């Protein structure tokens, strides 16, 4: 009988434990895979709402998989919607800065090149690289999150960094 109780996500205390355990990792996964423009915080919350709505159908052992799958699908739907909006958007707003035109041009060139190179990196390598370099997660943590060995994570980060270095050779990076 105790096994059934621990498997029941519908209990507030169990659901809270699941939320505390996976919320940050789910948000970070969505952030690094899709970026901030698609509201990873909202999608994380929506995934937990869906988990709560389906709490009788999802066991505790399947909660993580359910959350990541639902959130990923929500992001993909958001991207599709965003593409439709961009297609029909005709006017572009302009922003004005007090920075010099040369600085803005250089900054835009760098960001454009960085995004191009980053986008060209294999998704698995890019996610591991961003989780390590931007989030500061340890390779062991990343390996656990992605379900691979630590050596695979090391290789992915190393490969992604080398691709970035090579692609941005005109710019000084560390």
């Amino acid at each position: 009988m105790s096994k059934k109780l621990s498997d029941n996500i519908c209990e507030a205390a169990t659901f809270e434990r699941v939320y505390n355990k996976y919320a940050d990792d789910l948000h970070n996964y969505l952030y690094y895979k899709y970026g901030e423009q698609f509201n990873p915080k909202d999608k994380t919350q929506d995934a937990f709402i869906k988990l709560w709505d389906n709490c009788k159908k999802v066991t505790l052992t399947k909660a993580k998989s359910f959350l990541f799958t639902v959130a990923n699908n929500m992001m993909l739907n958001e991207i599709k919607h965003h593409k439709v909006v961009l297609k029909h958007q005709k006017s572009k707003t302009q922003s004005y800065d007090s920075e010099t035109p040369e600085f803005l041009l250089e900054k835009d060139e760098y960001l454009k090149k960085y995004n191009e190179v980053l986008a060209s990196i294999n998704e698995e390598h890019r996610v591991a690289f961003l989780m390590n370099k931007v989030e500061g997660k340890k390779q062991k943590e990343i390996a656990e999150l992605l379900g691979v060995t630590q050596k695979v994570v090391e290789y992915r980060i190393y490969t992604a960094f080398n691709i970035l270095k090579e692609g941005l050779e005109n710019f000084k990076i560390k």
Side-chain angles (χ1 to χ4, degrees):
M1 179 132 185
S2 64
K3 186 175 185 205
K4 263 190 167 180
L5 290 177
S6 67
D7 260 0
N8 190 358
I9 297 178
C10 295
E11 291 180 8
T14 305
F15 186 82
E16 184 178 355
R17 279 196 339 262
V18 169
Y19 179 84
N20 290 336
K21 186 173 183 179
Y22 298 120
D24 288 339
D25 290 338
L26 179 59
H27 170 266
N28 293 339
Y29 173 77
L30 295 174
Y31 179 84
Y32 291 122
K33 188 167 182 183
Y34 298 106
E36 183 62 39
Q37 71 269 21
F38 296 112
N39 302 318
K41 287 181 184 177
D42 292 346
K43 298 304 179 280
T44 301
Q45 294 301 316
D46 292 343
F48 277 98
I49 290 170
K50 277 208 185 234
L51 177 62
W52 182 255
D53 291 342
N54 294 295
C55 67
K56 292 181 181 176
K57 299 175 189 173
V58 180
T59 64
L60 186 59
T61 58
K62 300 289 182 183
K64 180 179 180 181
S65 174
F66 178 87
L67 286 168
F68 278 73
T69 302
V70 166
N72 193 50
N73 289 339
M74 286 179 183
M75 280 296 211
L76 293 174
N77 290 338
E78 180 76 18
I79 290 170
K80 286 180 186 176
H81 174 70
H82 186 68
K83 286 180 181 178
V84 171
V85 169
L86 287 177
K87 183 178 177 183
H88 295 289
Q89 188 179 21
K90 293 183 180 178
S91 65
K92 185 178 177 183
T93 58
Q94 294 182 349
S95 63
Y96 298 97
D97 288 331
S98 60
E99 296 168 337
T100 65
E102 294 83 15
F103 175 79
L104 292 175
L105 182 62
E106 194 173 300
K107 179 177 141 188
D108 289 343
E109 286 175 9
Y110 177 80
L111 288 175
K112 182 180 175 186
K113 184 67 175 174
Y114 176 79
N115 286 327
E116 286 174 7
V117 175
L118 195 60
S120 73
I121 297 174
N122 177 315
E123 179 183 328
E124 294 171 334
H125 293 88
R126 182 177 61 245
V127 169
F129 176 79
L130 291 173
M131 291 176 98
N132 179 257
K133 298 299 181 186
V134 177
E135 174 66 20
K137 287 197 179 288
K138 304 249 184 250
Q139 293 170 354
K140 184 177 179 182
E141 292 176 273
I142 297 168
E144 290 172 5
L145 285 172
L146 299 179
V148 296
T149 65
Q150 189 172 340
K151 283 289 184 187
V152 170
V153 171
E154 290 173 12
Y155 173 76
R156 289 178 181 178
I157 293 168
Y158 175 79
T159 303
F161 185 74
N162 281 338
I163 293 170
L164 270 173
K165 237 169 83 169
E166 189 175 302
L168 298 172
E169 66 184 49
N170 295 337
F171 299 96
K172 183 178 181 183
I173 61 171
K174 292 183 181 181

